[in-house]
Amino acid sequence: MSGKKRKEMVPVIVVILLIVLVGCVGALTAVIKRMTPSDERMDVRTYYGLTSDDDVALVLQNTVSDRKAKMIDGHIYLDYDTVSDVLGGRFYWDEANQKMLYSTPSEVISISPDSNTYTAGGKEKTEEYPIICEKEDTVYLALEFIEQYMQIMVTKSENPDKVIISYKFGTQKTVTVTEDTVVRYRGGIKSEILTDVKKKDKLVLLETLDEWSRVATEDGFDGYIKNDSISDAKEEKIEYQGEFNETYTSLTRDYKINLAWHQVTSEDANKALSEVLSGTKGINVLSPTWFSVTGTDGAISSLASADYVKTAHEAGKEVWGLVDNFNSSVSTLATLSNTASRNHLVEMLLSEAKRVGLDGINVDFESMTKEEAPHFIQFIRELSIGCRKNQLVLSVDDPVPEFTTYYNRKEQGIVADYVIIMGYDEHTEGSEKAGSVASLPFVEKGITQTLKEVPANKVINGMPFYTRMWYTDTTGSVTSEILGMSQAGQSVENMGMTSAWDEKTSQNYAELETGSGKYQMWLEDEQSLEEKLKLFQKYELAGVAEWKLGLERNSVWDLIEQYLK
């Protein structure tokens, strides 16, 4: 190669090297930029979603809420839905009368909007602010007042206005910061910074990811921190530190309850009590189906009999009269959402209880909707006041919680004496396919879910004394009929059905194929009932209940008594 050619190639090589160098520098810069944490800070008003001057950020149990409190004349107010639905307060908005009601164990306090006075315990009390305000069609309650009547702990701060509320107490996971660092809006070093944290600061652990953890700070930020900047999590007990203390006395018994529902449809049925009880053993509570709501004004029909109660008492049994909402022509919503109607209903029940000498009232309102549920729980609160004053046991019948979480069993378990699980109707009239009335997994799930809200010493598990015989024709149409225990067993024998123990349901299963269709039964018998009684024992429940008298075999009473000793 000539010298001239070599000289011509030098610039080309230099250019290539420069291009490579620039590329390397660019790549290195990109890597450095990608690896460098962002120092951009998020605007706190944007973070809390504050759009109006009177908005107050709301942090509920370590989590930033989409809901906003309001600053009105220098006082913080929470909207009614937050207080009742989230915090679980006993405040109830009486829409028709435009009043806020608050139930204590002994009375109902009534508060008018824009008023700073109310009467409690026979004394007029005055606050320095309106207790209730209405703004833009929303009802608000003063936070300072709420603190007096709820177990909540509140921390307030400014710039921006913010209120942090703790309302769940027990245990929580916490971590300690191991080095000065920051909490970010999202997991990742490029996410905006929410706040600074220092070494030894304590954070509440909300969620653990691969490299980041979601945490809550004491000053109301809910964000993310790198896992290598925090200690291992530990359980920490949190207790209510406020002054509010409301004690609900209870008439729970110091023995296990064995309640039998007695379906009474006429006054003549009352007279047959002695005959109905013959052959039974161990029952200590009878619940006759005596009362039914017959009008939206709170009127009821009654089959209550003093002679029935006298006979039961002589046999050593209490009587808890049952009230239902089974009249399809009477709106449960219209009845319970009206304060005057609720009051009338309570007065009628208490009057009848006094007239015949009842020991308790059993509430069996079924097929409740989400819309009806808040009014129902207010009815239970108000009825509990009257029952407490008259020494009447108050029990409430609930379906299993799986599809009725909105029933507010926690509140029932506080204000009522017993919560009875109707541990049956897993498959019932109208079901699209044949199935068990009360398989063991269904029953156990109902118990465990209820125990998350109600203490075991107030939970009674209801058991069926009946079986459904299902018939599925060749078109797939399903029908069923209810059979008592003896009747079901006799049908298996008479029809030549094959039966065997089914481990999945813990029941004897019988079926018969015919040319026109299939008969099926998941039998409730001594064997299946014993498995349910084992659950009663396992979870240390307050008792059992049976639907209904007359469908059982006499042999079940010895079995039940054996487990209730």
Side-chain angles (χ1 to χ4, degrees):
M1 182 182 291
S2 67
K4 182 178 179 181
K5 288 183 177 180
R6 283 198 299 271
K7 288 179 181 179
E8 289 175 349
M9 289 193 63
V10 169
V12 174
I13 293 171
V14 171
V15 169
I16 292 172
L17 289 173
L18 286 172
I19 292 172
V20 171
L21 180 60
V22 169
C24 289
V25 171
L28 181 60
T29 301
V31 169
I32 293 172
K33 186 176 181 181
R34 188 168 64 250
M35 298 297 291
T36 301
S38 170
D39 59 2
E40 184 179 355
R41 291 182 175 269
M42 189 171 195
D43 177 75
V44 290
R45 290 192 66 84
T46 301
Y47 171 68
Y48 287 115
L50 305 178
T51 57
S52 301
D53 291 340
D54 61 353
D55 277 351
V56 177
L58 196 53
V59 182
L60 302 175
Q61 205 66 30
N62 302 311
T63 302
V64 176
S65 176
D66 292 333
R67 302 165 185 260
K68 303 293 178 288
K70 289 292 182 181
M71 184 69 74
I72 303 175
D73 296 331
H75 296 275
I76 297 175
Y77 287 76
L78 302 187
D79 68 277
Y80 167 65
D81 287 344
T82 296
V83 175
S84 61
D85 297 346
V86 180
L87 302 183
R90 293 193 180 94
F91 293 93
Y92 173 83
W93 179 242
D94 180 353
E95 180 68 31
N97 297 302
Q98 292 289 290
K99 291 181 182 294
M100 185 65 69
L101 307 181
Y102 179 84
S103 300
T104 75
S106 59
E107 66 178 336
V108 177
I109 298 170
S110 179
I111 310 165
S112 299
D114 301 320
S115 173
N116 62 350
T117 63
Y118 65 103
T119 300
K123 298 179 180 179
E124 186 175 277
K125 298 186 178 183
T126 303
E127 303 295 345
E128 296 178 353
Y129 47 83
I131 300 167
I132 311 297
C133 290
E134 289 187 83
K135 187 173 184 179
E136 297 174 355
D137 297 324
T138 300
V139 178
Y140 290 90
L141 294 92
L143 180 57
E144 293 167 75
F145 185 79
I146 296 169
E147 287 184 81
Q148 298 179 47
Y149 286 93
M150 290 184 65
Q151 283 197 350
I152 59 174
M153 293 193 299
V154 176
T155 302
K156 303 171 189 174
S157 62
E158 299 177 346
N159 300 319
D161 290 324
K162 176 171 51 182
V163 59
I164 304 167
I165 302 177
S166 295
Y167 61 98
K168 295 178 181 178
F169 305 100
T171 60
Q172 64 183 8
K173 289 184 177 180
T174 62
V175 293
T176 302
V177 180
T178 57
E179 61 181 354
D180 292 356
T181 185
V182 295
V183 174
R184 296 182 180 273
Y185 180 57
R186 300 290 186 203
I189 60 174
K190 292 302 180 183
S191 181
E192 297 166 291
I193 296 171
L194 291 178
T195 189
D196 298 294
V197 289
K198 296 189 176 298
K199 185 177 180 178
K200 295 185 179 181
D201 281 353
K202 186 185 293 181
L203 307 173
V204 176
L205 180 64
L206 302 177
E207 182 183 7
T208 301
L209 305 176
D210 290 339
E211 297 182 7
W212 294 79
S213 286
R214 181 175 161 225
V215 295
T217 67
E218 288 186 356
D219 56 348
F221 287 98
D222 169 2
Y224 292 81
I225 191 170
K226 291 204 72 173
N227 288 339
D228 57 12
S229 296
I230 55 176
S231 67
D232 292 337
K234 65 178 183 179
E235 290 282 341
E236 185 174 292
K237 191 173 183 179
I238 50 173
E239 296 179 333
Y240 173 65
Q241 301 293 330
E243 297 180 357
F244 174 73
N245 183 22
E246 190 169 58
T247 303
Y248 272 82
T249 57
S250 180
L251 290 176
T252 49
R253 304 313 195 202
D254 58 1
Y255 49 83
K256 299 300 184 183
I257 298 297
N258 182 5
L259 179 150
W261 281 294
H262 181 199
Q263 188 171 29
V264 176
T265 57
S266 68
E267 292 183 2
D268 285 341
N270 285 324
K271 299 174 184 177
L273 177 60
S274 295
E275 181 182 346
V276 170
L277 290 177
S278 63
T280 66
K281 187 178 181 181
I283 297 170
N284 48 33
V285 178
L286 288 167
S287 184
T289 58
W290 275 344
F291 312 115
S292 189
V293 179
T294 56
T296 54
D297 62 350
I300 61 171
S301 59
S302 174
L303 290 169
S305 163
D307 287 339
Y308 181 106
V309 174
K310 182 174 181 291
T311 300
H313 284 175
E314 289 173 349
K317 307 176 195 316
E318 294 187 18
V319 182
W320 301 354
L322 181 148
V323 58
D324 67 50
N325 65 335
F326 296 170
N327 191 324
S328 59
S329 65
V330 180
S331 166
T332 299
L333 178 62
T335 305
L336 298 185
S337 62
N338 184 289
T339 296
S341 297
R342 288 195 314 275
N343 289 342
H344 187 218
L345 177 54
V346 169
E347 289 169 1
M348 292 298 295
L349 290 171
L350 295 178
S351 175
E352 284 295 281
K354 184 177 181 179
R355 180 178 69 83
V356 300
L358 283 179
D359 305 287
I361 294 175
N362 176 235
V363 180
D364 186 23
F365 278 36
E366 299 188 19
S367 303
M368 301 282 293
T369 65
K370 285 185 178 181
E371 187 179 8
E372 292 164 346
H375 310 293
F376 174 71
I377 199 63
Q378 181 62 18
F379 164 61
I380 296 300
R381 291 185 188 117
E382 293 168 358
L383 179 58
S384 79
I385 294 171
C387 286
R388 202 168 290 109
K389 289 179 178 178
N390 289 276
Q391 291 294 292
L392 294 169
V393 176
L394 175 59
S395 59
V396 184
D397 303 338
D398 290 330
V400 297
E402 185 172 2
F403 305 111
T404 56
T405 56
Y406 51 87
Y407 269 44
N408 199 347
R409 289 168 178 79
K410 180 180 179 180
E411 184 75 345
Q412 290 183 32
I414 294 171
V415 303
D417 298 300
Y418 290 103
V419 173
I420 304 179
I421 307 169
M422 294 185 287
Y424 39 82
D425 284 347
E426 179 180 4
H427 295 84
T428 187
E429 184 178 359
S431 294
E432 294 181 359
K433 62 179 182 179
S436 170
V437 166
S439 69
L440 199 68
F442 168 83
V443 173
E444 184 162 24
K445 186 175 182 181
I447 292 171
T448 57
Q449 288 184 330
T450 299
L451 290 176
K452 291 177 181 178
E453 298 183 273
V454 185
N457 71 326
K458 285 193 169 190
V459 175
I460 295 172
N461 187 56
M463 306 184 298
F465 277 165
Y466 65 92
T467 294
R468 281 188 179 271
M469 178 186 284
W470 299 89
Y471 176 67
T472 306
D473 66 21
T474 53
T475 68
S477 177
V478 179
T479 56
S480 69
E481 64 173 313
I482 289 177
L483 303 177
M485 294 175 67
S486 295
Q487 190 180 6
Q490 194 64 50
S491 294
V492 171
E493 183 178 338
N494 292 345
M495 296 174 67
M497 301 176 79
T498 58
S499 66
W501 183 253
D502 176 24
E503 292 289 346
K504 185 177 179 181
T505 61
S506 289
Q507 292 170 308
N508 283 301
Y509 169 72
E511 72 172 33
L512 175 67
E513 291 273 9
T514 70
S516 58
K518 180 193 285 189
Y519 292 92
Q520 295 172 281
M521 281 194 288
W522 286 262
L523 294 161
E524 288 297 349
D525 53 24
E526 290 82 356
Q527 195 173 359
S528 68
L529 288 176
E530 182 163 18
E531 295 306 307
K532 295 173 176 60
L533 287 165
K534 289 177 182 176
L535 292 180
F536 150 80
Q537 202 170 59
K538 174 182 177 181
Y539 292 104
E540 299 180 337
L541 303 184
V544 295
E546 303 92 22
W547 178 264
K548 63 179 179 171
L549 275 178
L551 294 181
E552 78 281 6
R553 273 194 291 260
N554 287 345
S555 54
V556 303
W557 298 116
D558 283 329
L559 175 66
I560 295 172
E561 189 175 44
Q562 172 188 335
Y563 278 87
L564 265 65
K565 287 181 179 178

